[in-house]
Amino acid sequence: IIIIISVSLWNEAKQTLFIFLSLHNNLHSSKGCSLQIFLSYIQLTKMKLAILSILTFTVTNAYAFSVAPATYVRQTALKMTPVESDKSKEIRVGVIGCGRIGIVHLGAITKAPNVRPVIVSNPTVSKAENAATQFGVPKFTSDPMDVITDPDVDAVWICSPSSFHAEQIKACAANGKHVFCEKPLATDLAATVEAINACNEAGVKLMTGLQRRFDPNFRRVKTAIENKEVGETIVIKLCSRDPSPPPFEYVKGGGGIFADMAVHDLDMSRFLAGQDPIDILAIGSCHIDKSIETLEGSEAFDTASCIVRYPNGVQAIIDVCRQSSYGYDQRAEVLGTSGMIATDNVYPNTAKIYKSHFTGNADMPYDFFLSRYNEAYVTETIAFCESLVNDTPVPCTGQDGLAALIMALAADKSAAENRWVSFKEIVESVYCSDPQHCEVLPMNIFPEGFHPVSDPRELLTDDVDTKKMKESLKESAVNA
């Protein structure tokens, strides 16, 4: 456009000069008339030049006043302030496990800014190939170690069966890979501590997948508590009821109803309370699938209830059941000193039917956890991606995963022994000769000179984000 304007200005100048010379030659024959014509043409040319000048200024300065292309800014689900992503930093990730959960996370990863999946694995390699094709991932394999040792990978999503989690986390740490791991981090307490410390000592980030923390309904309850919208918390109530019981083969070896199912509600009670719990009383029974009554411990329960005591007299009341005839029932309620807040179930739509014998939702609540919590799975995945891209603390740490497991183990012990169990009892059973070599020992049978700890944080070394925070505080103190 600027070139066109410049050519127009030059043409106007040439035309003006040509007319001037022509008039000069005819000056003696038509002096008065020619001079008048020439002056009029000069005025017209001045107007054209002014217009062209204004147009030139407008075009050339349009870019100066327009908003410059900005670095990607988005609202996170965890912070209501914009987080600016460094466009020059791309996180390349690998995913272990292409089952239901792995596909959900892989889909979320492809939506996250500045994050790119580069390899996926699954024991049935055809599933890995299908996932790679679906999401445009360049490499696939049947061996998870190919993902963990791939030099192009910065972070690994572990979506494999629970029994493989601990060793895969340790392998990721040994290879300098950040880790997102679906709960549980391990199937026993000692292995959980070892896996977390492996990441902490390697200086890599570890996030535990507890997706309910990222559900918008539960987060709204958490916000109400933080803002004192219902006053000081008195009672927290949570319920989880599945649409139908899982098969016998799933229940057997699954760790029991507290570790397998109620762990989400136990973690949510701690999340909403904002404090570590003191003790728990739990009971269980079987009402639906009588075949599981032959199993050991809480694997024989399809229904259970817990009371958890928190500091300041706060109580959490939890009930879980493996069958709900009316759909997936996931609700929370918090009673405070000045009000109450509660969530409802999530439905596929808001349509209601009004009839003489029935008034209510036209359809049942979602009847599958992936449908009910799809948004939460996506949000937690993007939250970890943002933590990697922006190098900020992870929103659900390895310590959070450890606390959830301790609560589940305490509930199991309470139901077995029919008594209140303090959480420090569970923590005090862990003996570590060093941060990455731990075992659970019978109470009061410890090596000479060993003093049990009652706070689970004392079992862990500082994670990478805590180390950075301490270094920053130290530098600030020196500079002050």
Side-chain angles (χ1 to χ4, degrees), residues 8 67 81 86 139 146 205 231 273 287 297 310 316 412 418 429:
S8 299
V67 178
T81 54
D86 180 3
K139 293 180 282 186
D146 290 342
K205 295 178 184 289
H287 298 269
Y310 284 92
D412 209 88
N418 194 30
S429 67

Side-chain angles (χ1 to χ4, degrees), residues 395-411:
C396 190
T397 64
Q399 182 184 320
D400 291 322
L402 175 62
L405 178 61
I406 290 170
M407 295 179 75
L409 294 173

Side-chain angles (χ1 to χ4, degrees), residues 119-135:
I119 185 171
V120 296
S121 76
N122 198 81
T124 305
V125 72
S126 60
K127 286 189 174 182
E129 183 178 10
N130 291 339
T133 302
Q134 181 181 351
F135 296 103

Side-chain angles (χ1 to χ4, degrees), residues 277-418:
I278 299 169
D279 52 12
I280 188 170
L281 178 65
I283 58 172
S285 55
C286 182
H287 298 269
I288 298 145
D289 184 3
K290 294 295 183 178
S291 68
I292 67 172
E293 288 184 310
T294 60
L295 300 177
E296 296 290 327
S298 65
E299 289 184 1
F301 303 151
D302 57 28
T303 305
S305 299
C306 308
I307 302 175
V308 185
R309 282 197 289 217
Y310 284 92
N312 302 318
V314 174
Q315 305 168 32
I317 301 170
I318 297 167
D319 76 79
V320 297
C321 185
R322 293 202 184 271
Q323 178 172 290
S324 167
S325 60
Y326 51 89
Y328 201 32
D329 192 1
Q330 305 277 298
R331 289 172 289 126
E333 175 186 307
V334 174
L335 173 66
T337 53
S338 61
M340 187 266 285
I341 183 169
T343 66
D344 197 357
N345 287 313
V346 178
Y347 292 79
N349 54 67
T350 60
K352 294 183 182 295
I353 291 179
Y354 298 87
K355 302 174 71 174
S356 60
H357 61 281
F358 173 79
T359 298
N361 291 88
D363 295 301
M364 301 280 275
Y366 282 118
D367 62 356
F368 189 47
F369 74 98
L370 286 179
S371 302
R372 167 64 179 83
Y373 288 109
N374 181 69
E375 182 180 353
Y377 280 114
V378 172
T379 303
E380 74 169 353
T381 298
I382 292 177
F384 186 52
C385 292
E386 288 181 338
S387 173
L388 298 176
V389 172
N390 298 304
D391 193 20
T392 53
V394 299
C396 190
T397 64
Q399 182 184 320
D400 291 322
L402 175 62
L405 178 61
I406 290 170
M407 295 179 75
L409 294 173
D412 209 88
K413 187 178 184 69
S414 172
E417 300 180 5
N418 194 30

